[in-house]
Amino acid sequence: MNANDQQNGQNISKPTKRMRWATQKVTRSKSAARKRQSILERFQKGHTSEKKRASGGTDSTGDSVPNGVLAGEADDQEEGDDASGERTIYFNRPLPPEAKDDEDHPKQKYARNKIRTAKYTPLSFVPKNLWFQFHNVANVYFLLLIVIGFFSIFGNPNPGLSAVPLIVIIFITAVKDAIEDWRRTVLDNELNNAPVHRLVDWNNVNTSEDDISLWRRIKKATSRGIVGTYQSWNQWRKSKKNGGGGKTYAQRALDEGRPSVDTRRSMYSIHDGEEADDAEEGIQMTPVPSPLPADKARAAEQDPLARQMLGTDDSAARNTNGTMQTAPPSKFYGSVLDPYKQAPGKARFKKDYWKSVQVGDFVRLYNDDEIPADIVVLSTSDPDGACYVETKNLDGETNLKVRQALQSGRKIKHARDCERADFTLESEPPHANLYSYSGVVRWTQRDNKFPESPGKEMAEPVSINNLLLRGCSMRNTEWILGVVVFTGPETKIMLNAGITATKRSRISKELNWNVIYNFIILLLMCIISGIVQGVTWSQGNNSLDYFEFGSIGGKPSVDGFITFWSAIILFQNLVPISLYISLEIIKTAQAFFIYSDHFMYYAPIDYPCTPKSWNISDDVGQIEYIFSDKTGTLTQNVMEFKKCSVNGIPYGEAYTEAQAGMQKRQGIDTVVEGEKARKQIAEDRVKMLEDLRGIHNNPYLHDNELTFVAPDFVQDLKGESGEEQQKANEHFMLALALCHTVITERTPGDPPKIEFQAQSPDEAALVATARDCGYTVLGRTTDGIIINCQGEEREYKVLNTLEFNSSRKRMSAIIRMPDGRIVLFCKGADSIIYSRLEKGQQVELRKETADHLEMFAREGLRTLCIAQRELSEDEYQAWSRDHDVAAAAVQDRDDKLEEVSDVIERHLTLLGGTAIEDRLQDGVPDTISLLGDAGIKLWVLTGDKVETAINIGFSCNLLGNDMDLIVFKIEDDSVASAEAELDKHLATFGSTGSDEELKEARKNHEPPAPTHAIIIDGDSLKLVLDESIRQKFLLLCRQCKSVLCCRVSPSQKAAVVAMVKNGLDVMTLSVGDGANDVAMIQEANVGVGIAGEEGRQAVMSSDYAIGQFRFLQRLILVHGRWSYRRLGETIANFFYKNIVWTFALFWYQIYANFDCVYPVDYTYILLFNLAFTSLPIIFMGILDQDVSDKVSLAVPQLYRRGIERKEWTQTKFWIYMLDGLYQSVICFFTVYLLFSVATFESYTGLNVNDVYRMGVYIANATIVVINAYVLMNTYRWDWLMVLLTLFSILLIWFWTGVYTAFRSAAYFYQAAPQVYGQLSFWVLSLVTVAISLLPRFFCKAIQKVFLPYDVDIVREQVRLGKFKYLDDVPADAVPVHKMSPSPSSEIDSGLKKSNGNQDFTQDDDRRPIYPPSVAPTATTHNNRSQNGSDGTEYTGHGRYSLEQRPTRPISGHLDPPSRPLSMERSRPSFDRMRSSMDALRPSFEASRDLTSASQLARVESSHSEVGPQKRRIGPSNLRS
């Protein structure tokens, strides 16, 4: 390397983990000054070495709008974009009169940056919580009863005691809600009080700090009062605990760690209302040179703006030899910085709260900072104005995105520059689209030669590429400076998040209707009581005329009215408030058990399954549709390079889940085969590492990071297969090292470590593999890239980078090689690259590479093709001029750039292909399969591109090889076209999308046949969600086994969830890990957040938080099913027991003229729900199990009763009500019949036929019947359940004996020994229990013997020992049990129904295989013949096996290989996959969308014109 190269090597842009001196508080010492000056000089040197790119100064990313234009041009661009609500933000210029109100405050009010996901505030908690709680009809009803009871005329003996149950339930529920909301409040406060550097001591004219509403002042005062009270109480408690004196300073010093200077500084500067340390805030905040006069000459050499302002622009540049050469004049962009503006110079950046940020503020962010609001970037630490953001909080992706600073703002770097910036920002209104933003910056450009002249108006468009969104994080960028445009609820992330919904379970909603039914029954009972009592008083000559001293009301009508309300108090238990108390206890216990389940504990992040909403656990047992994000939810978002094909030779060893699935269809034992393959791969890895280090001792190669295992590749790299293949492999790896946009991160050490940050994890995997093979990207210079090629450092100049996007499906880099050649390297989807290859060239190589790519794709790997083209100097210069014109366009810039790029990306030469594995989370395929067996449908809603989603679909068993993929891509953005497409596909299923079909779909909960799947992108989804055709789309999706929605926004995710939830009336669950999933999590009935490494926004808004996707199977199939079945049975038994008790009291009124006299002692009424019957029914709801957790997972079909909502139905409700009515008749009238014919005397000579002693007969028998009935309905009779039942039964006898032993019992005194001493009591109790329970016993016996449910069959098999093998299996690795149920089983009938009319008994080897698509653009459908064959054989596509491949002449000057190209070499993975494919029948496609080898082989170069044969470029040894 020459001296210049070495000097450039020292200036490599390596965004390593540097310490920012500017944010450290240092003393004003000489050493600190020297250090600061050294950094400034090094940074200045970087500026000096900066050169304009050969493409005319345009950025390599090509994404931003870098052009300063005249105001008229910008007006043309913005024309038609006006909308209500757009804002104009003013910077260092006064507001115009029309923007002010009468008090001189800004008219336009902007939202605060403070956000709240919590539902309550200290002021609103009590009224708001009471409002929500009194949505329960029962609470309103009992509040009414309490009010009535305070009037003594209605006969309530203790109205205060009657209010206790309602107060308890309101209080317990309020405490639970407060705890849930407090957690959200804590997280909100952490976010709102996060630090940010904000410009202070300057005038932001867009907001007024004095304009604070009275309500906000009250809230702030209340919050301060509550916090102050709590702190004072806490201090008093601590001082009291320490004996009042507290500890001395020395004692505290021994207990507390000594905070560092930075810690104390942070604590002080963040404190609310306190000024930060002036000394700290006064230091220079960024390592950038100050624009001092002595530096102007140096700055002029770098910046055309500075040259123009100083008058020194000579439009010349020096080349590397020091000679002068004429360069094209640079584009003048202008600057919003007015150097002649007078400024106070007091502005400074101060560390402040997020919640203090306002629209129009200047903010400075540093590396790893989270972005507090939506910010337009003015300048960055990068000379080209680039910055990198990580959007994992937004979309779950860890790959970096590039954003660009405005060209006109790049001179603003300090607080004093912010004061001299004079411009306005016209912005569109806030909207939820994450991928779109439109604005324009306007300023007056002053002429340095004539500073007094008015200047000219200039403008620069602002796009989404200049906007940093709240929730993202800065990465690999030392600092950025920007202005705030949207805050708080108006930011894009919050617009997509929605509000925190108040969710109530389905059973709770239906329970209100059951309460209403009971209330109607209660009204009838009370009306009857009032009428009969009134009529009785009006008749006269009755016995009551002789025993009563007049009525309370004085006349019959008033007596009837009073009796009506007295009856409501007497029969109040018919509407059971104790049910709500019990349900709260049960749901809290269920939440605790879910939290305590160690099988859902994720150790790497120390996170258990955390219920955040405790009241919807029963909904988890009724889920029919699951909506899942992909990145970070199904996958780890970790890409690993596994295989490649170079010059027609396949390399790489891997054993993927998709390959295991293919072998399963062949009947191969995948456990044995997988172990064998992994052992072989481990051996190959060791050999490959030895060979790599034999070629070059690569210090950047780390053994544990090697993913590409291919010892044969290294052997060919050493030349064992000839020089041709050696050169091909070298050039292939060089292409991977050059064609990318990654940035390097070097970690010093021994050995050193280089990591890559890329916009796509695929790209990082490619570059990492090149590094492992000896082609290491060390970093970038101003316009080049440094590669270490097998120990030799080389610099390659990057002329242009043509970025990847979803429409291009490719990216290219134009490189000037060290020998002066210009080469374009291109990588992209195989169908895209094949269509751009040189026409008529490399025919055989194209076939072989297509063969390999198809095999890679069938293994579930993501495939790419690598190609190149050599350009002449004239050809490139002509194209570069066209590219500069397109890059400078204001209108349709993206379209023009794409058109220019398309011109040069033709006539390519194929180098090979790559295969990358996007690793799924552990257990994802098994979990999806298990949930599918349970009848749950899984939809994937992702922001990723279509190809990625399809590949993941195949890998995780969501898509099958025998499915027809319906790919929706509506090109003309017309609703009519979308409707026509829907009608076409609906006709395939014999459907029209009518209302009758929708009604039928709501009733049918069977999963569709696994024959079709839908893939749709965001643009098409927007059309089909139109209200006019939404129903058709919903019914079409209902017919498909899987649905993948790609490139969708957060609001679209929520819209899809709402469409299914409301359209089909089903229970839905959404699961995601990023902030972009919050909207769908809140929209679904149950929201689950993945608390992984991708941020916690989803967790904050979820109902349940888990560590991994695989925990869903246990949460849903075990805890969800248990909770739903328990609650369904508990509620039914609760209504039953209250019917029995209340009607037993009602029947007595027949013989008492309905005067509402209590037939039992009042303590029995108070303790009935509180003690005598509460424990068995509560513990039934907490602990009952029909089958164990292992059996629940082994037989997932048991979950289908929840999907069909059979555990709690209105039919079941009325059956239990009628059963209770029957038993109340038995419990009362057996006693009545006993006493109607005789009286019984006790041993004292007193009879026991008075009302209270007769009530002992009734109450005791009724309590025994109820508790025995609950035990009969309990599946699990363990010692605890039996003990609680016996305890409840014995408790009434114990209470009667103790209570009646005291004279305070009055008329009830000595009732226990008198009644319990009668033989008639014990005989009658036994007879009553037997007669009451006998019908229920017979019905259960008949049902279980002749009409068994699924669970009855499974329980019988458990008793027979068929599930004994599960005892030795871990609960988190339960295999699915293969059942052979009887024909009466619901499982069997359900499986038959799920297959519809399709016959899937076809042999697996005869089923068609469809590889994953890599470029779907239209609808795909299988035109199968009767036997499913396309008349072709897999091996008949004109390919050769390795042994049969003929030798071909090698073109070029290189010698032919010394031996055949590794014919005898063992390739286990390749051979294994080939044998699997040959064993199965061939694949075919009906369109070009699903790419296979046979299809690719027929792809003509439609983008390359027919002409004279071009000279093949690159290494001439590439085979043709």
Side-chain angles (χ1 to χ4, degrees), residues 775-1050:
Y775 294 81
T776 306
V777 179
L778 298 179
R780 292 180 181 272
T781 60
T782 303
D783 55 0
I785 184 170
I786 304 294
I787 307 292
N788 184 307
C789 300
Q790 302 294 357
E792 177 188 357
E793 288 194 5
R794 305 175 188 168
E795 180 177 355
Y796 296 83
K797 187 172 184 180
V798 181
L799 302 179
N800 297 89
T801 301
L802 310 180
E803 287 281 349
F804 176 92
N805 62 43
S806 58
S807 60
R808 282 168 41 79
K809 295 184 175 61
R810 64 190 183 278
M811 72 87 59
S812 299
I814 302 178
I815 307 294
R816 185 178 294 277
M817 309 298 281
D819 59 4
R821 293 182 300 121
I822 300 176
V823 179
L824 177 143
F825 293 98
C826 184
K827 64 183 179 187
D830 47 14
S831 59
I832 298 297
I833 299 299
Y834 266 62
S835 67
R836 297 175 178 277
L837 296 178
E838 183 71 41
K839 195 174 184 66
Q841 301 296 317
Q842 300 179 298
V843 177
E844 188 175 346
L845 177 60
R846 291 167 63 172
K847 289 181 179 180
E848 291 183 344
T849 304
D851 181 4
H852 301 156
L853 291 176
E854 181 177 6
M855 284 191 290
F856 298 160
R858 293 195 183 195
E859 292 181 82
L861 303 178
R862 301 152 59 96
T863 58
L864 288 175
C865 278
I866 312 296
Q868 70 169 38
R869 176 186 178 186
E870 187 170 333
L871 305 173
S872 65
E873 188 69 34
D874 294 340
E875 186 179 11
Y876 168 73
Q877 293 298 338
W879 175 86
S880 181
R881 286 190 291 270
D882 295 338
H883 181 268
D884 292 344
V885 172
V890 176
Q891 293 182 337
D892 304 323
R893 177 173 176 270
D894 291 339
D895 294 338
K896 292 178 180 178
L897 278 174
E898 185 169 340
E899 182 179 347
V900 171
S901 301
D902 178 75
V903 171
I904 202 167
E905 293 172 325
R906 303 189 181 191
H907 307 293
L908 303 178
T909 300
L910 182 64
L911 300 181
T914 64
I916 297 175
E917 181 182 14
D918 185 0
R919 297 180 58 188
L920 297 173
Q921 291 184 11
D922 294 339
V924 166
D926 293 337
T927 299
I928 291 176
S929 177
L930 199 65
L931 295 174
D933 291 341
I936 299 173
K937 299 88 174 175
L938 179 67
W939 291 20
V940 175
L941 311 178
T942 177
D944 278 353
K945 56 184 180 180
V946 174
E947 304 91 318
T948 304
I950 291 178
N951 286 334
I952 291 298
F954 277 94
S955 297
C956 65
N957 294 337
L958 193 61
L959 300 178
N961 290 320
D962 51 357
M963 284 185 182
D964 288 346
L965 300 187
I966 301 175
V967 183
F968 264 89
K969 183 67 176 177
I970 311 300
E971 299 290 350
D972 58 358
D973 293 334
S974 167
V975 175
S977 300
E979 185 173 13
E981 194 75 9
L982 289 172
D983 290 337
K984 180 179 71 173
H985 293 296
L986 282 170
T988 305
F989 301 98
S991 178
T992 60
S994 63
D995 293 339
E996 291 74 16
E997 292 174 352
L998 181 61
K999 292 179 181 178
E1000 183 63 29
R1002 287 188 167 201
K1003 299 176 183 177
N1004 182 15
H1005 297 281
E1006 294 297 333
T1011 57
H1012 291 78
I1014 288 180
I1015 295 94
I1016 185 170
D1017 64 3
D1019 294 334
S1020 302
L1021 183 63
K1022 180 180 179 181
L1023 298 175
V1024 298
L1025 287 178
D1026 186 90
E1027 191 172 351
S1028 61
I1029 61 174
R1030 183 187 308 162
Q1031 180 173 311
K1032 292 184 177 182
F1033 177 65
L1034 175 61
L1035 290 174
L1036 177 60
C1037 293
R1038 177 69 182 77
Q1039 301 286 348
C1040 296
K1041 180 69 174 178
S1042 302
V1043 177
L1044 277 72
C1045 301
C1046 312
R1047 308 300 292 179
V1048 292
S1049 66

Side-chain angles (χ1 to χ4, degrees), residues 50-51 53 59-60 380-386 404-405 407 410 782:
E50 179 72 16
K51 298 182 179 68
R53 300 184 189 272
D59 295 321
S60 62
T380 74
S381 58
D382 184 77
D384 290 333
Q404 292 290 328
Q407 290 285 353
R410 297 184 182 181
T782 303

Side-chain angles (χ1 to χ4, degrees), residues 108 140 408 698 814 877 930 990 1351:
Q108 192 161 7
V140 177
S408 56
N698 185 358
I814 302 178
Q877 293 298 338
L930 199 65
V1351 70

Side-chain angles (χ1 to χ4, degrees), residues 117 393-394 432 434 492-501 503 627 629 941 1048-1058 1061 1068-1088 1097-1103:
T117 60
N393 251 352
L394 207 61
L434 293 173
K492 291 183 180 293
I493 187 174
M494 297 305 296
L495 289 174
N496 280 281
I499 61 173
T500 302
K503 295 182 180 180
F627 301 90
D629 182 37
L941 311 178
V1048 292
S1049 66
S1051 56
Q1052 284 180 318
K1053 292 183 178 183
V1056 172
V1057 175
K1061 182 180 71 172
T1068 58
L1069 180 147
S1070 293
V1071 54
D1073 69 319
N1076 64 326
D1077 303 315
V1078 169
M1080 75 170 181
I1081 284 175
Q1082 293 182 344
E1083 180 63 40
N1085 300 98
V1086 179
V1088 177
Q1097 285 283 349
V1099 168
M1100 288 170 58
S1101 303
S1102 66
D1103 303 306

Side-chain angles (χ1 to χ4, degrees), residues 1147-1171:
W1147 302 133
Y1148 174 78
Q1149 304 303 317
I1150 297 175
Y1151 304 98
N1153 294 324
F1154 287 93
D1155 61 356
C1156 295
V1157 174
Y1158 297 161
V1160 296
D1161 186 77
Y1162 187 64
T1163 59
Y1164 282 174
I1165 296 177
L1166 289 179
L1167 295 176
F1168 170 74
N1169 279 320
L1170 184 62

